[in-house]
């Protein structure tokens, strides 16, 4: 039969000849083991033939040790790493067991196992290393179990321990498998052993010796399957160094199951049961009555059963034959296939006969497992084995069609939504429309949206819009059903609950889909169905806050409208737009909202809204919200907008109590600013408003602030005399104006005290004491009537005359003091002309360090000074320093600015020219005295003396200023540069200098 007949997806396994003369002339092959690309064969003549396919190498190992007679290899066992090998040889004197390491030149006998026929070996895959077997378990034909360990370095067994013996039913152990897991710091062992009729399981924590010793007083857990079988076998399927499932080839069939070594399910015997999902494959399914497999191998999903020279591949899950492999073993030179073995590390399987080895390899054996599980209706497992979207669609379709046929439309919709290829979107939608399942259709659309990617923008928008209409239709149907009035109370409550639930769900859908729904289309849908609340909700989601606020204002819900406007992403222009309506709707909440916004709002743009509120009548005791907000802007926010200040002032002016208005006028709002105004309102507007409202005291304050003091006093006299006096006293820097203002006040007082009674005149005269002597009696006399008797002013006139007399005496005293001071100055000037000092003969010039009394020939004498004898002209200062005239001029000129230096040199030059001219004109005059006037020369010399000798250059300001001068002047930069050490040229070679003494 062709293998492709069983595997419609292509051949799963293939058989290829590997070695035609595998025994290499050492007899025929009797046993075989594989691990990590290494094959070890046992022959009928007692040889081990080791094939290492990684290095394409083979080694022949003699287990007979040169002994004669039959010594056939009974069984060969190889660890998964291909390094450790155990072989049992049947000699005439009894069986012997050997151990061989891949690096040893020859095998070593395990003497303590002599006469024990080993049928099975279990390796500890978690602890075994390349150098040591660690603990391994050996099973014998007489039902004994041993623990053995061998290290490469020891060249012999490390130990051999007896563990257990099957005494209840004396059968030979045909197969052993072992697995370990860590439980805290301890090791838990799981051991399976099979005989021809039983499968035993052992488990426990500790060492192997402890585990098996514990079964001396407790029952052994086993599974019994009677029947005859040529060879009972036990195999674990290993994946990532862990056993996943097992298979036992028994006389009745193949007993198999999954292994879960972390499970905590205990059996009735007290043992931990680590076998799950048990199954049994009956040989009758092979279609050949009475025929039982000679050997089998276990893959991830299949059993490989050796029946005569054919290998039948049975799916472990479906228990169906999927392939039949024919082994081309040349029957004319072979007695047939002996057995199968597997290499857990590479996933390869091998079949062998007396002379040849055949490799059985799999080609993606799990590719059709999704279909197997699907046929078994195990949908979750089928999905986990799907390789592509098309396979997953087939699983979803079966699930969806099953649910649809059973009228479970919501479940069907969920599965249909996951499909992408087999059925189109339109076909699925029509299925639900045809049965009138609008709700299931909506569910399908929503689930389909979840499965679409961001790139499917157009489809997402269309489906979302359709879902929106289905939601609206569902809500309307619920409303219509609720309005019939025929349902009971319980049914009505159920409908109401369903209605609230669908509305909540719809709002959540709008929130999730706000970015994909077309704004205009969605709003038209909501409006056409009359869902105003949802329209407002969606507008809020789309940040169409104008619609939301307008709706709330129409509903009279000012608080909700203000909450919307307070959101951080709402344009501030909307606040200005809706301010007039909101302040009329709820002034308190609106103003509180404005105050919370603080500097985010421009109060000037809110003035139209405030003006509208002001124009409406309000109760006297009602808190004026506009005033409260304007006061907050002015006092807390330090607002400088003139419009705001003017509006607040106008509101104060309209109040009967003038105290707030006066306090506002007295406050200097710009006091914190440099060169800023004291107030920001318009004083002219304020004055006009106060005059209109007849707030006279306020008008007086405004006149005063505008420096219109005469008008302020004149208006104050009409209101309050004390106010007028206070206004007159405010002028402090202009004595004449202050006196003029007080005269106005005095005139008003005198006119108020009209009459000839003495007490009235006295009251008028007492007013003079309040002016702090600014007004005299003579200033106010013109204001009295002509018929007033002088006797009434006698005392005041006498007092005024005494004051004048006192002032005259004071002036005379000041004149005498000034005369004495002038005389003293003239005396000091006369004494100054006679002042002199004595110069020592050795006194030196402070600049040139030459003696002051140097002869003229020794020093160039300027002709601008008249020399005394042969001495050069010089200066002597009160501090004791002396300088030659020319030295002093040169020193002062150097230290002065360029402009001052030029002035000094010009004076010196002009003085020198005039001196030479005077000398020339008087050359023939006797005694060398000039007869012309020396006044111009003396004037120039005086100017030059003031320029250079006004103070000592060493003791005055000139020396102090020299502290800040640099040591090296700018004009000395060339001299400074000449002292710099320049680097030598790189090409210059310095020769050593030697000196001989």
């Amino acid at each position: 039969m062709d293998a492709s007949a069983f595997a419609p997806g292509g051949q799963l396994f293939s058989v290829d000849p590997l070695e035609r003369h595998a025994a290499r002339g050492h007899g025929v092959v009797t046993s075989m083991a594989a691990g990590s690309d290494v094959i070890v064969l046992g022959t009928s003549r007692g040889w081990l033939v080791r094939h290492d396919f990684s290095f394409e190498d083979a080694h022949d190992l003699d287990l007979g040790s040169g002994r004669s007679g039959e010594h056939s290899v009974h069984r060969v066992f190889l660890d998964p790493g291909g390094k450790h090998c155990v072989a049992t040889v049947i000699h005439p004197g009894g069986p012997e067991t050997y151990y061989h390491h891949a690096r040893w030149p020859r095998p070593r006998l395990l003497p303590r196992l002599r006469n024990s026929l080993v049928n099975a070996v279990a390796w500890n895959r978690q602890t075994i290393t390349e150098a040591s077997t660690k603990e391994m378990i050996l099973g014998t034909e007489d039902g004994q179990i041993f623990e053995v360990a061998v290290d490469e370095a020891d060249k012999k067994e490390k130990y051999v321990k007896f563990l257990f013996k099957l005494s209840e039913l004396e059968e030979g152990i045909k197969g052993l498998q072992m697995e370990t897991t860590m439980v805290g710091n301890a090791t838990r062992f799981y051991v399976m052993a099979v005989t021809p009729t039983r499968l035993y399981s052992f488990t426990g924590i500790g060492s192997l010796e402890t585990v098996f010793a514990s079964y001396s007083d407790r029952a052994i857990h086993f599974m019994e399957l009677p029947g005859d079988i040529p060879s009972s076998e036990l195999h674990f399927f290993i994946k990532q160094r862990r056993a996943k499932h097992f298979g036992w080839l028994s006389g009745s069939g193949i007993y198999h199951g999954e292994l879960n070594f972390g499970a905590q399910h205990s059996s009735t015997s007290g043992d931990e049961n680590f076998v799950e999902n048990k199954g049994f494959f009956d040989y009758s399914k092979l279609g050949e009555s009475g025929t039982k497999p000679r050997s089998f191998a276990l893959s991830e999903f299949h059993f490989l059963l050796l029946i005569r020279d054919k290998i039948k591949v049975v799916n472990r899950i479906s228990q169906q034959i999927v392939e039949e492999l024919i082994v081309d073993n040349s029957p004319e030179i072979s007695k047939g296939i002996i057995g199968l073995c597997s290499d857990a590390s590479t996933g390869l399987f091998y079949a062998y006969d007396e002379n040849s080895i055949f490799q059985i390899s799999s080609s993606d054996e799990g590719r059709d497992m999704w279909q197997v599980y699907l046929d078994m209706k195990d949908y979750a497992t089928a999905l986990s084995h799907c390789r592509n979207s098309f396979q997953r669609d087939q699983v979803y379709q079966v699930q969806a069609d099953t649910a649809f046929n059973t009228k479970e439309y919501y479940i069907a919709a969920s599965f249909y939504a996951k499909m992408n290829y087999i059925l189109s979107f339109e076909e699925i939608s029509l299925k639900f429309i045809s049965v009138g399942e609008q709700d299931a259709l909506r569910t399908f659309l929503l689930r389909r949206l979840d499965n679409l990617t961001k790139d499917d923008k157009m489809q997402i928008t269309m489906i979302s819009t359709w879902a929106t209409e289905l939601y609206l239709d569902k809500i309307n149907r619920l409303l219509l059903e609720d309005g019939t009035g025929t349902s009971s109370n319980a049914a009505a409550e159920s409908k109401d609950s369903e209605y609230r639930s669908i509305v909540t769900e719809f709002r959540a859908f709008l929130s999730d889909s706000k970015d994909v729904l077309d704004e205009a289309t969605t709003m038209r849908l909501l409006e056409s169905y009359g869902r105003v609340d949802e329209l407002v909700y969606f507008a809020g989601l789309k940040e169409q806050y104008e619609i939301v606020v307008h709706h709330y204002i129409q509903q009279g819900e000012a608080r909700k409208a203000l909450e919307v406007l307070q959101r951080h992403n709402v344009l501030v222009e909307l606040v200005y737009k809706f301010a007039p309506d909101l302040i009329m709707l709820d002034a308190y909440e609106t103003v509180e909202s404005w105050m919370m916004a603080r500097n985010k709002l421009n109060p000037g743009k809110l003035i139209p809204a405030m003006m509208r509120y002001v124009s409406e009548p309000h109760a006297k005791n009602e808190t004026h919200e506009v005033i409260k907000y304007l006061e907050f802007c002015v006092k807390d926010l330090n607002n400088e907008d003139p419009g705001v200040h003017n509006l607040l002032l106008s509101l104060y002016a309209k109040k009967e109590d003038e105290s707030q208005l006066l306090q506002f006028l007295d406050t200097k709002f710009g006091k914190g600013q440099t060169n800023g105004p004291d107030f920001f309102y318009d004083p002219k507007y304020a004055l006009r408003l106060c005059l209109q409202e007849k707030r006279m005291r306020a008008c007086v304050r405004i006149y005063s602030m505008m420096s219109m003091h005469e008008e302020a006093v004149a208006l104050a006299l009409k209101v309050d005399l004390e106010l007028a006096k206070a206004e007159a006293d405010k002028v402090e820097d202009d004595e004449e104006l202050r006196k003029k203002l007080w005269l106005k006040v005095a005139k008003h007082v005198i006119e108020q005290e009209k009459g000839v009674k003495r007490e009235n005149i006295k009251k008028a005269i007492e007013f003079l004491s309040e002016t702090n002597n600014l007004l005299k009696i003579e200033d106010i006399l013109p204001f009295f009537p002509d018929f007033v008797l002088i006797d009434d002013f006698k005392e005041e006139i006498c007092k005024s005359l005494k004051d004048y007399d006192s002032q005259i005496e004071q002036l005379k005293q000041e004149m005498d003091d000034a005369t004495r001071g002038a005389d003293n100055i003239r005396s000091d000037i006369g004494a100054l002309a006679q002042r002199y000092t004595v110069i020592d003969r050795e006194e030196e010039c402070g600049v040139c360090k030459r003696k002051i009394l140097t002869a003229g020939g020794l020093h160039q004498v300027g002709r601008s000074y008249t020399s005394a004898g042969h001495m050069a002209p010089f200066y002597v200062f009160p501090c004791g320093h002396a300088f030659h005239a020319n030295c002093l001029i040169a020193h002062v000129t150097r230290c002065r600015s360029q402009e001052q230096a030029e002035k000094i040199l010009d004076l010196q030059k002009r003085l020198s020219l005039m001196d030479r001219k005077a000398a020339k004109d008087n050359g023939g005059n006797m005694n060398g005295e000039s007869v012309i006037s020396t006044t111009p020369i003396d004037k120039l010399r005086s100017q030059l003396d003031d320029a250079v000798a006004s103070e000592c250059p060493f003791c005055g300001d000139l020396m102090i200023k020299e502290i800040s001068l640099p040591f090296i002047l700018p004009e000395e930069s060339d001299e400074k540069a000449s002292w710099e050490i320049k680097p030598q040229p790189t090409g210059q070679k310095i020769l050593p200098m030697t000196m001989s003494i």
Side-chain angles (χ1 to χ4, degrees):
M1 184 180 293
D2 188 3
S4 61
F6 296 99
Q11 196 169 2
L12 298 177
F13 293 88
S14 60
V15 180
D16 299 303
L18 197 61
E19 288 286 343
R20 284 295 186 183
H21 302 284
R24 297 165 62 91
H26 300 301
V28 297
V29 177
T30 58
S31 182
M32 174 179 173
S36 190
D37 232 5
V38 175
I39 293 176
V40 177
L41 303 173
T43 71
S44 60
R45 296 178 184 175
W47 285 78
L48 290 181
V49 180
R50 178 184 175 91
H51 293 272
D52 192 338
F53 297 110
S54 299
F55 300 99
E56 298 182 357
D57 191 14
H59 295 281
D60 300 340
L61 306 169
D62 185 11
L63 299 180
S65 302
R67 290 179 289 186
S68 61
E70 290 294 330
H71 37 268
S72 173
V73 176
H74 173 61
R75 293 292 301 272
V76 177
F77 308 96
L78 190 63
D79 80 295
K83 301 298 181 181
H84 308 281
C85 177
V86 175
T88 302
V89 181
I90 301 176
H91 293 290
E96 291 181 348
T97 302
Y98 293 84
Y99 169 80
H100 176 257
H101 191 275
R103 287 197 287 262
W104 289 2
R106 63 179 180 274
R108 297 285 182 176
L109 176 66
L110 302 178
R112 295 185 61 182
L113 294 174
R114 190 185 298 273
N115 296 325
S116 294
L117 185 60
V118 176
N119 289 331
V121 174
W123 309 94
N124 190 344
R125 288 180 298 275
Q126 276 65 49
T127 60
I128 192 170
T129 64
E130 184 176 342
S132 175
T133 63
K134 299 299 182 180
E135 62 271 17
M136 59 179 177
I137 304 175
L138 280 65
T140 66
E141 183 64 26
D142 56 358
Q144 296 187 80
I145 299 176
F146 294 90
E147 177 185 353
V148 181
V150 183
D151 288 344
E152 176 198 358
D154 296 340
K155 306 297 183 182
K156 63 179 180 179
E157 70 271 23
K158 192 172 184 180
Y159 61 82
V160 176
K161 296 178 183 179
F162 171 77
L163 295 178
F164 196 77
K165 180 176 175 60
L166 302 176
S167 58
E168 181 182 353
L169 180 63
E170 295 185 0
E171 289 184 324
I173 296 176
K174 301 299 183 179
L176 272 175
Q177 292 289 345
M178 176 172 56
E179 190 77 17
T180 60
T181 59
M182 296 302 296
V183 181
N185 294 325
T187 304
R188 177 180 285 276
F189 287 90
Y190 301 88
V191 179
M192 273 188 176
V194 296
T195 67
T197 60
R198 289 186 177 183
L199 181 148
Y200 294 90
S201 61
F202 306 89
T203 180
I205 297 176
S207 64
L208 282 170
E209 192 173 8
T210 304
V211 171
F212 280 95
S214 66
Y215 283 92
S216 61
D217 56 357
R218 63 171 173 161
I220 304 174
H221 184 72
F222 65 88
M223 166 68 70
E224 186 171 10
L225 293 174
D228 296 328
I229 190 76
S231 177
S232 179
E233 297 181 17
L234 175 66
H235 296 293
F236 278 6
F237 171 73
I238 310 300
K239 188 174 184 179
Q240 297 177 352
R241 300 189 64 184
R242 281 290 178 186
K244 299 301 181 182
H245 53 264
F246 76 96
W248 171 34
L249 185 68
S250 70
S252 302
I254 298 177
Y255 178 69
H256 60 94
E258 296 179 359
L259 298 171
N260 184 359
F261 298 107
Q264 301 296 325
H265 307 297
S266 298
S267 66
T268 56
S269 62
D271 291 333
E272 184 180 353
N273 187 6
F274 50 88
V275 177
E276 298 178 344
N277 300 327
K278 304 169 187 176
F280 182 77
F281 175 73
D282 196 330
Y283 295 140
S284 62
K285 296 181 180 180
L286 294 174
E288 298 184 18
S289 60
T291 302
K292 296 182 180 180
R294 296 173 56 191
S295 179
F296 98 114
L298 182 64
S299 71
E300 185 173 4
F301 300 107
H302 298 88
F303 302 132
L304 278 69
L305 305 178
L306 176 61
I307 301 176
R308 293 185 292 272
D309 288 338
K310 295 185 294 184
I311 299 175
K312 292 192 176 184
V313 181
V314 178
N315 189 286
R316 182 172 57 87
I317 306 302
S318 66
Q319 298 191 356
Q320 299 294 320
I321 301 174
V322 296
E323 281 186 354
E324 189 173 287
L325 306 176
I326 305 298
V327 180
D328 183 12
N329 60 344
S330 302
E332 65 276 4
I333 60 173
S334 172
K335 294 181 181 181
I337 302 298
I338 299 173
L340 301 174
C341 71
S342 62
D343 184 348
S345 61
T346 61
L348 296 175
F349 302 92
Y350 298 95
Y352 62 95
D353 61 11
E354 294 179 346
N355 300 295
S356 305
I357 304 172
F358 303 91
Q359 178 177 295
I360 305 171
S361 56
S362 63
S363 176
D364 193 12
E365 63 166 321
R367 64 175 180 264
D368 296 324
M369 289 306 299
W370 69 274
Q371 186 68 55
V372 173
Y373 285 110
L374 180 59
D375 295 339
M376 298 173 61
K377 300 188 184 307
D378 187 354
Y379 302 119
T381 310
L383 285 172
S384 67
H385 286 81
C386 288
R387 304 293 181 83
N388 51 55
S389 299
F390 186 78
Q391 293 176 359
R392 284 191 288 272
D393 274 8
Q394 294 183 67
V395 178
Y396 291 141
Q397 184 179 16
V398 173
Q399 292 177 275
D401 289 344
T402 302
F404 192 89
N405 294 331
T406 57
K407 298 185 179 181
E408 296 177 341
Y409 297 112
Y410 287 101
I411 298 175
S414 298
F415 287 119
Y416 279 131
K418 297 178 181 180
M419 297 172 59
N420 296 310
Y421 302 104
I422 295 181
L423 291 179
S424 66
F425 173 80
E426 293 79 4
E427 289 175 317
I428 299 171
S429 301
L430 288 173
K431 287 175 71 72
F432 291 108
I433 294 175
S434 63
V435 293
E437 281 296 326
Q438 300 291 335
D439 296 340
L441 176 59
R442 186 179 71 251
T443 301
F444 165 70
L445 296 179
L446 296 178
R447 297 295 179 272
R448 189 58 178 262
L449 284 173
D450 295 337
N451 297 329
L452 293 176
T453 63
K454 293 182 179 180
D455 297 332
D456 303 322
K457 295 181 180 180
M458 184 177 296
Q459 190 173 2
I460 290 174
T461 300
M462 295 176 65
I463 294 176
S464 299
T465 306
W466 192 3
T468 301
E469 189 168 10
L470 291 176
Y471 267 117
L472 292 171
D473 180 68
K474 175 67 175 178
I475 292 172
N476 270 11
R477 282 190 282 113
L478 289 174
L479 288 174
L480 291 173
E481 292 174 5
D482 186 54
T484 58
T486 58
S487 58
S488 62
N489 292 335
E493 291 179 2
S494 176
K495 289 292 183 183
D496 183 60
S497 175
E498 184 180 2
Y499 170 76
R500 290 195 301 270
S501 175
I502 197 67
V503 169
T504 303
E505 183 182 339
F506 179 45
R507 291 198 173 198
F509 169 76
L510 290 176
S511 178
D512 295 337
S513 307
K514 66 179 184 299
D515 296 328
V516 298
L517 284 170
D518 181 69
E519 182 179 323
T521 303
T522 305
M523 285 189 173
R524 281 198 299 269
L525 271 175
L526 294 169
E527 187 178 2
S528 64
Y529 277 86
R531 303 304 300 178
V532 178
D533 292 340
E534 282 70 31
L535 175 63
V536 173
Y537 177 75
F538 182 72
L541 293 174
K542 297 298 288 183
E543 298 184 359
Q544 294 291 338
Y545 298 113
E546 185 172 353
I547 298 175
V548 180
V549 175
H550 182 71
H551 169 74
Y552 284 138
I553 291 176
Q554 284 186 331
Q555 297 295 321
E557 296 179 351
R559 183 187 293 271
K560 290 185 178 180
L562 291 169
E563 288 175 355
V564 174
L565 293 174
Q566 287 171 358
R567 297 179 186 176
H568 67 280
N569 55 345
V570 176
L571 295 176
V572 71
E573 298 300 327
L574 289 182
V575 179
Y576 304 138
K577 180 176 182 178
F578 291 105
D581 295 329
L582 287 172
I583 198 170
M584 296 303 297
L585 188 60
D586 192 334
Y588 173 78
E589 291 292 344
T590 303
V591 169
E592 288 295 322
S593 173
W594 293 351
M595 291 169 66
M596 286 177 61
R598 296 187 67 82
N599 291 321
K600 294 180 181 179
L601 296 179
N602 181 3
K605 294 186 177 182
L606 296 173
I607 289 178
M610 291 187 281
M611 293 296 295
R612 180 178 177 184
Y613 175 78
V614 169
S615 63
E616 297 293 328
H618 301 281
K620 291 184 178 180
N621 298 327
E622 182 182 352
T623 302
H624 205 296
E625 298 299 332
V626 171
I627 292 179
K628 181 175 72 174
Y629 176 67
L630 293 174
E631 288 177 343
F632 172 78
C633 294
V634 171
K635 296 177 181 179
D636 292 6
L637 303 183
N638 299 319
N639 186 274
E640 300 177 1
D641 188 353
V644 173
H645 286 255
N646 288 337
L647 179 57
L648 181 56
L649 187 144
S650 68
L651 296 177
Y652 281 149
K654 293 179 181 179
K655 300 183 72 172
E656 294 182 1
D657 185 4
E658 203 173 351
S659 59
Q660 287 182 302
L661 176 60
L662 296 176
Q663 183 182 2
F664 179 78
L665 294 174
D666 289 340
T667 304
K668 294 183 178 180
F669 299 101
K671 59 185 177 181
Q673 299 182 358
T674 304
N675 299 324
D678 290 341
F679 49 85
F680 299 103
Y681 53 84
D682 185 357
K684 295 180 181 179
Y685 168 76
L687 179 62
R688 183 169 63 252
L689 184 66
C690 292
L691 288 173
Q692 180 181 343
E693 299 292 337
K694 298 182 180 179
R695 303 289 183 251
M696 297 307 173
R697 289 182 177 272
C699 293
V700 172
R701 300 284 177 91
I702 298 171
Y703 275 134
S704 178
M705 287 185 289
M706 296 174 66
S707 298
M708 300 175 66
H709 301 290
E710 294 186 37
E711 290 81 354
V713 170
L715 185 59
L717 290 174
K718 298 178 182 179
V719 179
D720 184 3
L721 178 61
E722 295 301 324
L723 178 61
K725 294 177 181 179
E727 289 298 324
D729 263 341
K730 287 183 179 179
V731 183
E732 296 179 355
D733 53 349
D734 191 344
E735 192 73 16
E736 182 178 353
L737 177 59
R738 184 164 176 261
K739 184 175 182 180
K740 182 178 180 181
L741 298 177
W742 273 106
L743 284 174
K744 281 192 174 186
V745 176
K747 182 177 180 181
H748 176 78
V749 171
I750 293 172
E751 289 178 353
Q752 291 293 322
E753 301 294 338
K754 289 181 179 180
V756 295
K757 293 182 180 180
R758 186 176 297 274
E759 59 271 15
N760 294 339
I761 296 174
K762 287 182 177 180
K763 289 181 179 180
I765 294 174
E766 288 174 357
F767 172 74
L768 294 176
S769 61
E770 300 181 20
T771 64
N772 295 325
N773 297 324
L774 182 64
L775 298 182
K776 304 296 182 182
I777 186 63
E778 61 270 23
D779 296 324
I780 65 172
L781 281 177
F783 302 142
F784 286 96
D786 295 338
F787 51 81
V788 176
L789 299 177
I790 195 66
D791 291 341
D792 297 329
F793 305 99
K794 180 179 179 181
E795 294 180 4
E796 193 65 28
I797 291 173
C798 291
K799 181 181 178 182
S800 180
L801 291 175
K802 289 180 180 179
D803 291 340
Y804 284 131
D805 183 61
S806 172
Q807 294 177 7
I808 291 171
E809 288 298 328
Q810 185 178 358
L811 288 174
K812 289 174 62 179
Q813 182 66 33
E814 291 176 358
M815 291 175 63
D816 293 340
D817 292 342
T819 301
R820 285 194 295 272
D823 292 339
N824 291 334
I825 292 172
R826 281 191 290 271
S827 175
D828 291 342
I829 293 173
L832 185 62
Q834 303 299 322
R835 189 174 59 170
Y836 66 93
T837 185
V838 178
I839 300 298
D840 188 83
R841 181 181 295 273
E842 301 299 325
E843 183 74 25
E844 294 180 351
C845 173
V847 176
C848 68
K849 302 304 178 182
R850 295 178 182 273
K851 294 180 180 180
I852 288 296
L853 303 179
T854 303
L858 299 175
H859 190 273
Q860 183 68 30
V861 180
R863 300 183 62 88
S864 58
Y865 289 92
T866 303
S867 61
H870 295 286
M871 292 186 297
F874 59 87
Y875 286 94
V876 180
F877 292 93
C879 61
H881 291 112
F883 304 90
H884 290 122
N886 284 348
C887 292
L888 179 62
I889 292 172
H891 178 72
V892 172
T893 303
R894 179 175 60 84
C895 297
R896 296 287 187 180
S897 63
Q898 183 178 358
E899 183 180 354
Q900 292 173 338
E902 290 178 354
K903 181 179 179 181
I904 293 171
L905 293 175
D906 182 64
L907 289 174
Q908 186 182 21
K909 182 179 179 182
R910 289 167 58 191
L911 188 60
S912 178
L913 291 174
M914 293 183 69
D915 188 43
R916 285 199 296 268
K917 182 179 179 182
K920 181 179 179 181
D921 294 341
N922 300 324
N925 188 35
M926 294 179 64
N927 300 325
E929 294 182 358
S930 176
V931 295
I932 63 172
S933 175
T934 60
T935 300
I937 297 177
D938 292 340
K939 185 176 180 180
L940 286 174
R941 185 175 290 113
S942 175
Q943 292 178 2
L944 184 61
D945 290 343
D946 290 341
V948 300
S950 59
E951 61 179 357
C952 176
F954 288 175
C955 302
D957 294 338
L958 191 63
M959 178 59 70
I960 295 173
K961 293 178 180 179
E962 284 186 345
I963 294 174
S964 60
L965 295 177
F967 288 109
I968 300 175
L969 298 177
E971 55 268 20
E972 297 175 332
S973 59
D974 295 338
E975 181 69 18
K976 175 186 174 183
S978 66
W979 284 88
E980 291 183 357
I981 300 176
K982 298 181 180 179
Q984 298 179 356
T986 55
Q988 182 178 0
K989 185 174 183 182
I990 301 175
L991 299 176
M993 180 181 292
T994 61
M995 181 181 293
S996 60
I997 300 175

